[in-house]
Amino acid sequence: MADRHLEPDTPELRARWGNFAWTPENAAKVPQIIARYPEGRQRSAVMPLLDLAQRQVGAETNTQGWLPIPVIEFVARELDMPVIRVLEVATFYMMYNLVPVGKFHVQVCGTTPCQLRGSDDIMAACKARGMHKDHTTDDGLWTLTEVECMGNCASAPMVQINDDNYEDLTAESMTRILGELAAGKQPKTGTQLEGRHTVEPLGGPTTLREMVSENHDYRGEW
């Protein structure tokens, strides 16, 4: 499991991020996000606003993005929340990066189903590209994190890289995916097994076969 800690609150951090403000594009999104929640429940927007802030930081730094303490404080002011309440959310959910990360944040699932299906080989493929767990490579391209279950047990082993999942991995397919990303290409997401669509059994579905190609209505057949 990743070591969760906040980046130290230094004068240099304050100088870089102390004047954080929404871009015009993101500022236009904020009222729309807050309006999704009932009157009196606007603080529920803390999660999407943290995500929006992290993505803005990522766009400014050419990384996946992270949440410096001054940015967390900014979100707290936006929602009139105590900073500690926003910190509680940011530190609880792994989707929020608390320290700087690289352009590609490689999160390898190490929970039992993935481990039994070869997650150690996936981790070894990452290390072969110079990655080390809980560190960012010197070129700023990769950050490697081992995480708990991300819900793709039926297509283990899997990794999440930024917003995309890659499943049914082998060391060879993981090496190819990393190579394509490094070359500026977009690898195929989802399962990497030929002929598998989602998480149906290997060899194809045994039931509801008509659903593979269309939203088939079975009600008249029951």
Side-chain angles (χ1 to χ4, degrees), residues 33-168:
I33 292 172
I34 295 176
R36 297 172 189 166
Y37 302 94
E39 186 64 33
R41 300 290 182 181
Q42 285 78 16
R43 290 181 174 182
S44 298
V46 62
M47 290 190 68
L49 290 193
L50 283 172
D51 179 70
L52 187 65
Q54 178 167 278
R55 291 175 186 276
Q56 180 171 315
V57 170
E60 293 183 22
T61 58
N62 194 31
T63 67
Q64 198 215 7
W66 66 291
L67 292 171
I69 291 176
V71 175
I72 293 173
E73 292 171 345
F74 171 82
V75 173
R77 290 194 299 271
E78 288 285 277
L79 294 171
D80 191 25
M81 291 178 67
V83 175
I84 187 60
R85 296 301 185 196
V86 182
L87 274 169
E88 287 171 347
V89 175
T91 55
F92 182 82
Y93 291 100
M94 288 291 295
M95 64 185 284
Y96 304 118
N97 300 316
L98 305 179
V99 297
V101 295
K103 182 175 182 179
F104 299 110
H105 188 189
V106 182
Q107 300 181 78
V108 180
C109 178
T111 309
T112 305
C114 280
Q115 188 175 56
L116 292 174
R117 295 272 293 174
S119 65
D120 287 347
D121 295 335
I122 308 308
M123 190 67 77
C126 294
K127 292 180 178 179
R129 287 203 71 97
M131 298 183 220
H132 298 282
K133 199 161 63 171
D134 299 327
H135 288 88
T136 300
T137 54
D138 291 341
D139 59 8
L141 197 61
W142 313 103
T143 298
L144 177 62
T145 305
E146 183 177 0
V147 297
E148 297 299 324
C149 182
M150 292 191 282
N152 291 77
C153 303
S155 50
M158 65 85 62
V159 304
Q160 180 176 326
I161 304 178
N162 293 358
D163 289 334
D164 293 321
N165 285 0
Y166 300 89
E167 306 154 34
D168 290 314

